[in-house]
Amino acid sequence: MRLSILVVSRTAALLSSMLDSLKDALHLPGEEVEVLCSWNGDAAEEACIDNTSGYEFLVANRTPYHFASNMNALAEKANGDVLLLINDDVLLDAHSVDAGLSCLSDHPNTGLVGARLRDREGRLTHAGILFDRRHSPYHQLDRLIGSEHHAVLGEPRPVPATTGAAMLIRREHFQTLRFNSNYKVCGEDVELCLAMRQQLQLNVMYCPRFSGEHGGEATRSHEENQGGNSEDLTRMRGLHERFLNTANRDQLRVELAASVAEADALRSLEAHRSHEGQEISAILAQLKQAGDAECNRGTNHWEDQTHALQLARLKLEQKLKQAERGA
């Protein structure tokens, strides 16, 4: 199997770090892997790219930033049987790409594999994309739990959609579907996942062991007008609504199972927080009780001291009177 890794970048430091993380994340022979980059930065920055991955690296395109169009162009030049689409601000965990490739090959009805991603503080940022009642996509449990929470570990499982920040897909399937380049900011990954499920009747899988740290749209954040787009959201909502209207029983089960799993995780999280709140209240009550007791002990101490001083004063007064009478 030959793997083509596709990445869009304009920042040498980010790209170099991602390439370095490939050393431990992937263990295919060197001749079976290529890294193709669509470079959006200047020539001076490009000269600073440091490829320590051990794999062939090539700047295949130098065009203005547009994620969908850049990736489509890279896929045209790719030689791999499988494509790894990845953001330049992702740091892959050890053996994570190996695990993703195994998931893709071990599940014959799978067309696309998504990753488990976290932020720099270890909070979960991606474990599959779900849809709310208005058909708006969202990252389930985003920053509500740690990335090592039991709710997002375990075996690979189907999800409604997954992020394009780190996904594995067979090249023939990507070339059949491709990213819709009409999106201005984001949404092409969601549409690709829905097309995979609807047109090709293949599952989108979330693989917990395919994992890494994601800096959070570091490339996109440098581009103007990349903060969100109502047209993109409207398009995604319409796509998902139409998908549900024509979905078969198995596809609906995936939607339901993902929502139920998230609801169970949220209930567990709320119960845990409630228990923690009760424990904190009990600790505060104990501290207050101890403080009151200490205050009472302090008050009694000073009352005893006052009584002792009064007795000492009376004794001195008596001695003075006796001394005066003796004189």
Side-chain angles (χ1 to χ4, degrees):
M1 177 186 66
R2 184 167 170 83
L3 175 68
S4 294
I5 301 171
L6 313 183
V7 59
V8 180
S9 184
R10 60 175 296 163
T11 308
L14 290 175
L15 181 57
S16 298
S17 294
M18 187 279 290
L19 291 169
D20 188 64
S21 73
L22 279 172
K23 290 187 302 187
D24 296 322
L26 177 64
H27 294 87
L28 288 176
E31 63 273 14
E32 294 184 11
V33 180
E34 64 177 1
V35 183
L36 303 182
C37 174
S38 182
W39 182 251
N40 311 141
D42 57 35
E45 183 76 7
E46 181 181 341
C48 296
I49 299 171
D50 184 18
N51 176 28
T52 58
S53 68
Y55 297 114
E56 178 187 14
F57 173 82
L58 174 67
V59 173
N61 290 318
R62 292 178 179 86
T63 55
Y65 178 82
H66 185 271
F67 182 78
S69 299
N70 293 166
M71 282 294 184
N72 286 343
L74 289 177
E76 289 288 343
K77 298 182 178 182
N79 294 310
D81 307 302
V82 175
L83 307 178
L84 167 59
L85 281 58
I86 188 166
N87 282 13
D88 65 351
D89 57 350
V90 171
L91 298 177
L92 294 158
D93 292 334
H95 302 284
S96 61
V97 180
D98 297 331
L101 291 170
S102 294
C103 179
L104 189 63
S105 62
D106 293 346
H107 297 82
N109 201 41
T110 293
L112 191 153
V113 175
R116 174 172 56 96
L117 301 174
R118 63 185 181 276
D119 63 16
R120 292 185 178 90
E121 286 71 45
R123 296 172 299 181
L124 182 77
T125 57
H126 182 264
I129 292 174
L130 279 62
F131 296 85
D132 64 18
R133 63 183 180 84
R134 298 182 62 193
H135 305 284
S136 297
Y138 67 94
H139 294 249
Q140 69 158 327
L141 301 171
D142 185 14
R143 292 178 174 84
L144 294 176
I145 60 175
S147 66
E148 299 297 322
H149 193 282
H150 64 83
V152 292
L153 298 179
E155 294 301 312
R157 56 239 190 215
V159 291
T162 187
T163 179
M167 62 165 56
L168 285 159
I169 182 173
R170 292 181 179 86
R171 183 166 62 92
E172 61 176 309
H173 293 153
F174 185 85
Q175 291 295 71
T176 298
L177 302 172
R178 297 171 60 83
F179 278 143
N180 185 341
S181 59
N182 290 323
Y183 287 94
K184 293 180 172 61
V185 179
C186 62
E188 58 279 324
D189 48 2
V190 170
E191 180 166 331
L192 179 71
C193 291
L194 293 178
M196 180 68 69
R197 298 170 63 198
Q198 187 174 51
Q199 296 179 33
L200 302 186
Q201 297 292 301
L202 294 173
N203 286 330
V204 173
M205 296 289 284
Y206 159 65
C207 178
R209 292 189 296 122
F210 176 29
S211 61
E213 178 186 301
H214 183 207
E217 299 181 348
T219 295
R220 181 172 285 163
S221 65
H222 287 85
E223 299 294 326
E224 295 183 1
N225 303 317
Q226 290 292 313
N229 185 275
S230 60
E231 292 180 14
D232 291 348
L233 181 58
T234 299
R235 184 190 299 274
M236 286 185 281
R237 284 173 172 171
L239 282 170
H240 186 252
E241 184 174 13
R242 291 191 293 274
F243 172 83
L244 288 186
N245 289 336
T246 60
N248 61 38
R249 183 176 301 177
D250 289 338
Q251 291 168 342
L252 292 175
R253 282 198 185 108
V254 170
E255 302 276 332
L256 178 60
S259 296
V260 168
E262 184 187 48
D264 287 345
L266 289 172
R267 280 195 296 271
S268 175
L269 184 62
E270 182 59 31
H272 178 70
R273 287 177 175 173
S274 176
H275 180 67
E276 283 185 336
Q278 293 172 359
E279 287 184 339
I280 291 172
S281 296
I283 291 171
L284 290 175
Q286 291 174 2
L287 290 173
K288 184 178 184 302
Q289 185 177 12
D292 290 345
E294 185 63 29
C295 183
N296 290 334
R297 283 195 294 271
T299 301
N300 294 336
H301 170 75
W302 291 114
E303 287 178 349
D304 292 342
Q305 290 289 85
T306 301
H307 291 155
L309 288 170
Q310 289 174 344
L311 288 173
R313 181 175 59 81
L314 290 172
K315 289 179 179 180
L316 285 172
E317 288 176 352
Q318 289 175 354
K319 286 183 180 181
L320 287 171
K321 289 179 180 179
Q322 289 174 357
E324 290 172 356
R325 285 196 294 268

PDB file of all heavy atoms in Angstrom, residues 95-116:
ATOM      1  N   HIS A  95       2.332   5.939  16.590  1.00  0.00           N
ATOM      2  CA  HIS A  95       1.579   4.834  15.991  1.00  0.00           C
ATOM      3  C   HIS A  95       0.152   5.222  15.587  1.00  0.00           C
ATOM      4  O   HIS A  95      -0.655   4.345  15.246  1.00  0.00           O
ATOM      5  CB  HIS A  95       1.523   3.619  16.933  1.00  0.00           C
ATOM      6  CG  HIS A  95       2.868   3.098  17.322  1.00  0.00           C
ATOM      7  ND1 HIS A  95       3.657   2.344  16.475  1.00  0.00           N
ATOM      8  CD2 HIS A  95       3.579   3.241  18.479  1.00  0.00           C
ATOM      9  CE1 HIS A  95       4.795   2.033  17.088  1.00  0.00           C
ATOM     10  NE2 HIS A  95       4.770   2.573  18.305  1.00  0.00           N
ATOM     11  N   SER A  96      -0.172   6.499  15.611  1.00  0.00           N
ATOM     12  CA  SER A  96      -1.553   6.895  15.353  1.00  0.00           C
ATOM     13  C   SER A  96      -1.963   6.696  13.895  1.00  0.00           C
ATOM     14  O   SER A  96      -3.081   6.244  13.621  1.00  0.00           O
ATOM     15  CB  SER A  96      -1.767   8.350  15.777  1.00  0.00           C
ATOM     16  OG  SER A  96      -0.921   9.214  15.051  1.00  0.00           O
ATOM     17  N   VAL A  97      -1.087   7.023  12.944  1.00  0.00           N
ATOM     18  CA  VAL A  97      -1.438   6.817  11.544  1.00  0.00           C
ATOM     19  C   VAL A  97      -1.487   5.320  11.241  1.00  0.00           C
ATOM     20  O   VAL A  97      -2.346   4.856  10.479  1.00  0.00           O
ATOM     21  CB  VAL A  97      -0.442   7.528  10.617  1.00  0.00           C
ATOM     22  CG1 VAL A  97      -0.819   7.295   9.154  1.00  0.00           C
ATOM     23  CG2 VAL A  97      -0.418   9.025  10.905  1.00  0.00           C
ATOM     24  N   ASP A  98      -0.605   4.548  11.857  1.00  0.00           N
ATOM     25  CA  ASP A  98      -0.666   3.084  11.727  1.00  0.00           C
ATOM     26  C   ASP A  98      -2.045   2.576  12.125  1.00  0.00           C
ATOM     27  O   ASP A  98      -2.644   1.741  11.437  1.00  0.00           O
ATOM     28  CB  ASP A  98       0.393   2.414  12.616  1.00  0.00           C
ATOM     29  CG  ASP A  98       1.807   2.779  12.222  1.00  0.00           C
ATOM     30  OD1 ASP A  98       2.051   3.051  11.030  1.00  0.00           O
ATOM     31  OD2 ASP A  98       2.673   2.802  13.113  1.00  0.00           O
ATOM     32  N   ALA A  99      -2.558   3.083  13.253  1.00  0.00           N
ATOM     33  CA  ALA A  99      -3.865   2.647  13.752  1.00  0.00           C
ATOM     34  C   ALA A  99      -4.978   3.061  12.793  1.00  0.00           C
ATOM     35  O   ALA A  99      -5.909   2.290  12.533  1.00  0.00           O
ATOM     36  CB  ALA A  99      -4.118   3.244  15.137  1.00  0.00           C
ATOM     37  N   GLY A 100      -4.895   4.267  12.253  1.00  0.00           N
ATOM     38  CA  GLY A 100      -5.909   4.715  11.301  1.00  0.00           C
ATOM     39  C   GLY A 100      -5.931   3.888  10.037  1.00  0.00           C
ATOM     40  O   GLY A 100      -6.999   3.549   9.514  1.00  0.00           O
ATOM     41  N   LEU A 101      -4.747   3.545   9.531  1.00  0.00           N
ATOM     42  CA  LEU A 101      -4.668   2.708   8.332  1.00  0.00           C
ATOM     43  C   LEU A 101      -5.226   1.312   8.599  1.00  0.00           C
ATOM     44  O   LEU A 101      -5.900   0.725   7.732  1.00  0.00           O
ATOM     45  CB  LEU A 101      -3.218   2.618   7.858  1.00  0.00           C
ATOM     46  CG  LEU A 101      -2.630   3.904   7.281  1.00  0.00           C
ATOM     47  CD1 LEU A 101      -1.125   3.755   7.067  1.00  0.00           C
ATOM     48  CD2 LEU A 101      -3.317   4.286   5.977  1.00  0.00           C
ATOM     49  N   SER A 102      -4.945   0.779   9.782  1.00  0.00           N
ATOM     50  CA  SER A 102      -5.493  -0.534  10.150  1.00  0.00           C
ATOM     51  C   SER A 102      -7.010  -0.480  10.204  1.00  0.00           C
ATOM     52  O   SER A 102      -7.698  -1.411   9.767  1.00  0.00           O
ATOM     53  CB  SER A 102      -4.940  -0.977  11.505  1.00  0.00           C
ATOM     54  OG  SER A 102      -3.545  -1.209  11.425  1.00  0.00           O
ATOM     55  N   CYS A 103      -7.540   0.598  10.752  1.00  0.00           N
ATOM     56  CA  CYS A 103      -8.998   0.756  10.828  1.00  0.00           C
ATOM     57  C   CYS A 103      -9.608   0.770   9.432  1.00  0.00           C
ATOM     58  O   CYS A 103     -10.639   0.135   9.183  1.00  0.00           O
ATOM     59  CB  CYS A 103      -9.338   2.043  11.578  1.00  0.00           C
ATOM     60  SG  CYS A 103     -11.113   2.374  11.726  1.00  0.00           S
ATOM     61  N   LEU A 104      -8.974   1.485   8.520  1.00  0.00           N
ATOM     62  CA  LEU A 104      -9.490   1.570   7.153  1.00  0.00           C
ATOM     63  C   LEU A 104      -9.481   0.212   6.464  1.00  0.00           C
ATOM     64  O   LEU A 104     -10.418  -0.142   5.741  1.00  0.00           O
ATOM     65  CB  LEU A 104      -8.652   2.570   6.352  1.00  0.00           C
ATOM     66  CG  LEU A 104      -9.156   2.951   4.955  1.00  0.00           C
ATOM     67  CD1 LEU A 104     -10.510   3.646   5.030  1.00  0.00           C
ATOM     68  CD2 LEU A 104      -8.139   3.842   4.250  1.00  0.00           C
ATOM     69  N   SER A 105      -8.432  -0.590   6.708  1.00  0.00           N
ATOM     70  CA  SER A 105      -8.320  -1.895   6.041  1.00  0.00           C
ATOM     71  C   SER A 105      -9.111  -2.989   6.751  1.00  0.00           C
ATOM     72  O   SER A 105      -9.595  -3.922   6.108  1.00  0.00           O
ATOM     73  CB  SER A 105      -6.851  -2.307   5.938  1.00  0.00           C
ATOM     74  OG  SER A 105      -6.277  -2.457   7.224  1.00  0.00           O
ATOM     75  N   ASP A 106      -9.253  -2.877   8.080  1.00  0.00           N
ATOM     76  CA  ASP A 106      -9.929  -3.930   8.849  1.00  0.00           C
ATOM     77  C   ASP A 106     -11.446  -3.839   8.793  1.00  0.00           C
ATOM     78  O   ASP A 106     -12.138  -4.793   9.169  1.00  0.00           O
ATOM     79  CB  ASP A 106      -9.486  -3.884  10.313  1.00  0.00           C
ATOM     80  CG  ASP A 106      -8.025  -4.256  10.492  1.00  0.00           C
ATOM     81  OD1 ASP A 106      -7.437  -4.796   9.537  1.00  0.00           O
ATOM     82  OD2 ASP A 106      -7.470  -3.980  11.579  1.00  0.00           O
ATOM     83  N   HIS A 107     -11.974  -2.706   8.358  1.00  0.00           N
ATOM     84  CA  HIS A 107     -13.427  -2.532   8.274  1.00  0.00           C
ATOM     85  C   HIS A 107     -13.789  -2.313   6.801  1.00  0.00           C
ATOM     86  O   HIS A 107     -13.729  -1.189   6.297  1.00  0.00           O
ATOM     87  CB  HIS A 107     -13.885  -1.347   9.124  1.00  0.00           C
ATOM     88  CG  HIS A 107     -13.608  -1.521  10.582  1.00  0.00           C
ATOM     89  ND1 HIS A 107     -12.370  -1.266  11.145  1.00  0.00           N
ATOM     90  CD2 HIS A 107     -14.404  -1.942  11.606  1.00  0.00           C
ATOM     91  CE1 HIS A 107     -12.419  -1.509  12.439  1.00  0.00           C
ATOM     92  NE2 HIS A 107     -13.637  -1.921  12.746  1.00  0.00           N
ATOM     93  N   PRO A 108     -14.149  -3.384   6.099  1.00  0.00           N
ATOM     94  CA  PRO A 108     -14.318  -3.319   4.641  1.00  0.00           C
ATOM     95  C   PRO A 108     -15.408  -2.357   4.174  1.00  0.00           C
ATOM     96  O   PRO A 108     -15.363  -1.892   3.041  1.00  0.00           O
ATOM     97  CB  PRO A 108     -14.657  -4.770   4.265  1.00  0.00           C
ATOM     98  CG  PRO A 108     -15.127  -5.402   5.536  1.00  0.00           C
ATOM     99  CD  PRO A 108     -14.382  -4.739   6.633  1.00  0.00           C
ATOM    100  N   ASN A 109     -16.385  -2.059   5.020  1.00  0.00           N
ATOM    101  CA  ASN A 109     -17.459  -1.151   4.622  1.00  0.00           C
ATOM    102  C   ASN A 109     -17.165   0.293   5.012  1.00  0.00           C
ATOM    103  O   ASN A 109     -18.063   1.119   5.065  1.00  0.00           O
ATOM    104  CB  ASN A 109     -18.798  -1.592   5.233  1.00  0.00           C
ATOM    105  CG  ASN A 109     -19.980  -1.030   4.469  1.00  0.00           C
ATOM    106  OD1 ASN A 109     -19.976  -0.984   3.238  1.00  0.00           O
ATOM    107  ND2 ASN A 109     -20.998  -0.574   5.193  1.00  0.00           N
ATOM    108  N   THR A 110     -15.887   0.574   5.296  1.00  0.00           N
ATOM    109  CA  THR A 110     -15.475   1.914   5.716  1.00  0.00           C
ATOM    110  C   THR A 110     -14.823   2.662   4.561  1.00  0.00           C
ATOM    111  O   THR A 110     -13.933   2.133   3.899  1.00  0.00           O
ATOM    112  CB  THR A 110     -14.496   1.828   6.906  1.00  0.00           C
ATOM    113  OG1 THR A 110     -15.201   1.320   8.037  1.00  0.00           O
ATOM    114  CG2 THR A 110     -13.928   3.196   7.246  1.00  0.00           C
ATOM    115  N   GLY A 111     -15.248   3.900   4.357  1.00  0.00           N
ATOM    116  CA  GLY A 111     -14.672   4.698   3.288  1.00  0.00           C
ATOM    117  C   GLY A 111     -13.788   5.820   3.782  1.00  0.00           C
ATOM    118  O   GLY A 111     -12.984   6.358   3.025  1.00  0.00           O
ATOM    119  N   LEU A 112     -13.922   6.181   5.072  1.00  0.00           N
ATOM    120  CA  LEU A 112     -13.196   7.330   5.590  1.00  0.00           C
ATOM    121  C   LEU A 112     -12.988   7.144   7.093  1.00  0.00           C
ATOM    122  O   LEU A 112     -13.882   6.677   7.789  1.00  0.00           O
ATOM    123  CB  LEU A 112     -14.000   8.602   5.301  1.00  0.00           C
ATOM    124  CG  LEU A 112     -13.363   9.971   5.506  1.00  0.00           C
ATOM    125  CD1 LEU A 112     -14.039  10.990   4.577  1.00  0.00           C
ATOM    126  CD2 LEU A 112     -13.477  10.439   6.931  1.00  0.00           C
ATOM    127  N   VAL A 113     -11.815   7.517   7.577  1.00  0.00           N
ATOM    128  CA  VAL A 113     -11.481   7.363   9.002  1.00  0.00           C
ATOM    129  C   VAL A 113     -11.081   8.716   9.576  1.00  0.00           C
ATOM    130  O   VAL A 113     -10.210   9.400   9.030  1.00  0.00           O
ATOM    131  CB  VAL A 113     -10.338   6.345   9.210  1.00  0.00           C
ATOM    132  CG1 VAL A 113      -9.927   6.288  10.682  1.00  0.00           C
ATOM    133  CG2 VAL A 113     -10.769   4.961   8.736  1.00  0.00           C
ATOM    134  N   GLY A 114     -11.716   9.095  10.685  1.00  0.00           N
ATOM    135  CA  GLY A 114     -11.414  10.345  11.359  1.00  0.00           C
ATOM    136  C   GLY A 114     -10.679  10.117  12.665  1.00  0.00           C
ATOM    137  O   GLY A 114     -10.678   9.015  13.220  1.00  0.00           O
ATOM    138  N   ALA A 115     -10.050  11.184  13.169  1.00  0.00           N
ATOM    139  CA  ALA A 115      -9.139  11.073  14.312  1.00  0.00           C
ATOM    140  C   ALA A 115      -9.755  11.620  15.603  1.00  0.00           C
ATOM    141  O   ALA A 115     -10.752  12.330  15.599  1.00  0.00           O
ATOM    142  CB  ALA A 115      -7.850  11.833  14.012  1.00  0.00           C
ATOM    143  N   ARG A 116      -9.090  11.270  16.707  1.00  0.00           N
ATOM    144  CA  ARG A 116      -9.373  11.864  18.026  1.00  0.00           C
ATOM    145  C   ARG A 116      -8.335  12.955  18.268  1.00  0.00           C
ATOM    146  O   ARG A 116      -7.135  12.681  18.303  1.00  0.00           O
ATOM    147  CB  ARG A 116      -9.291  10.793  19.123  1.00  0.00           C
ATOM    148  CG  ARG A 116      -9.424  11.341  20.546  1.00  0.00           C
ATOM    149  CD  ARG A 116      -9.522  10.191  21.561  1.00  0.00           C
ATOM    150  NE  ARG A 116      -8.386   9.293  21.459  1.00  0.00           N
ATOM    151  CZ  ARG A 116      -7.297   9.361  22.220  1.00  0.00           C
ATOM    152  NH1 ARG A 116      -7.172  10.306  23.139  1.00  0.00           N
ATOM    153  NH2 ARG A 116      -6.313   8.489  22.074  1.00  0.00           N
TER     154      ARG A 116
END
